[in-house]
Amino acid sequence: MPHAVRPRRLFTLATGNWLSRGYLAMLAVSVVAMFAFPESELGLDPMTLTAPLSFLGMAFPFGPGTEGGLAVEVLATGFWVGLLLLGALGNAAALGALATRSAGVPPRQRMRTLLAPAVDNWPARGYLAMVAAAIGVFLHAVYVSPDPGFAGIWPLMVTAPLSILAITLSGPLDGWLSPVIFTAGTALAGLCNAVLLGRLARALRG
């Protein structure tokens, strides 16, 4: 019964090792902080920690605070919470799959073995294609379009949460160096996410 086993395997990966449990504990602390300090920037942390899946909520015109009556607000809030929970489960399982890496790999093959999950399965390949498209849109907007606007939001969202580091490093820079650092940072963030996604796909197949 593969369909019954895979959800159980997913839950085991998300809770069965120190790395995934540490991530879930950090997420729980951020949720408590969000309610304890609602006016603080900490309120964004749960959404950032469950990215990139949680960022899909930005593509929909409703979420917490949506007007239209109690039923609409409850539905919108439930949808937002559901995305956070799915993002948390997916990220925890991906970290769990990373923690169960194979031992005894020769030193010369460690890098190849580490990066292989990013390209040897269709979920990771599809994700990398999406990352490449987002970065391509950003580069076209910066170097070709007369008005780049907010094109950087696409690679930032697709490669979150690690892309937060890219925008943090590139933000204070001026001139040509800022988009270069941002592009390199989001590309590396996307590669890391693809490795995690690929390991998760492997673990679920196994």
Side-chain angles (χ1 to χ4, degrees):
M1 295 185 297
H3 294 289
V5 173
R6 286 184 179 179
R8 183 183 302 174
R9 175 64 172 162
L10 184 68
F11 183 77
T12 300
L13 287 171
T15 59
N17 59 86
W18 65 269
L19 190 59
S20 58
R21 287 196 295 265
Y23 163 77
L24 291 175
M26 182 170 59
L27 178 61
V29 170
S30 71
V31 171
V32 172
M34 179 182 67
F35 287 102
F37 308 100
E39 301 299 327
S40 171
E41 294 181 357
L42 292 174
L44 294 175
D45 281 355
M47 191 170 183
T48 301
L49 289 174
T50 55
L53 185 59
S54 61
F55 280 179
L56 288 177
M58 295 182 178
F60 295 90
F62 57 91
T66 299
E67 298 181 356
L70 180 61
V72 173
E73 186 172 349
V74 170
L75 180 63
T77 302
F79 174 77
W80 180 75
V81 171
L83 279 181
L84 289 183
L85 292 176
L86 286 176
L89 179 63
N91 289 357
L95 290 173
L98 179 64
T100 57
R101 61 188 182 279
S102 301
V105 178
R108 293 183 179 179
Q109 297 182 11
R110 284 178 184 172
M111 184 57 67
R112 181 182 301 177
T113 302
L114 177 65
L115 297 179
V119 294
D120 66 1
N121 59 91
W122 285 111
R125 290 173 192 158
Y127 171 75
L128 284 178
M130 188 166 53
V131 171
I135 292 177
V137 169
F138 168 71
L139 292 176
H140 179 272
V142 170
Y143 294 109
V144 179
S145 174
D147 182 18
F150 296 97
I153 193 65
W154 301 114
L156 181 67
M157 291 176 60
V158 170
T159 61
L162 294 177
S163 58
I164 302 300
L165 294 176
I167 196 170
T168 301
L169 293 174
S170 62
L173 302 175
D174 294 322
W176 63 272
L177 190 57
S178 179
V180 171
I181 296 297
F182 179 76
T183 300
T186 52
L188 287 175
L191 180 60
C192 291
N193 286 351
V195 169
L196 291 174
L197 179 61
R199 283 191 174 275
L200 177 59
R202 283 182 175 185
L204 291 177
R205 286 202 307 266

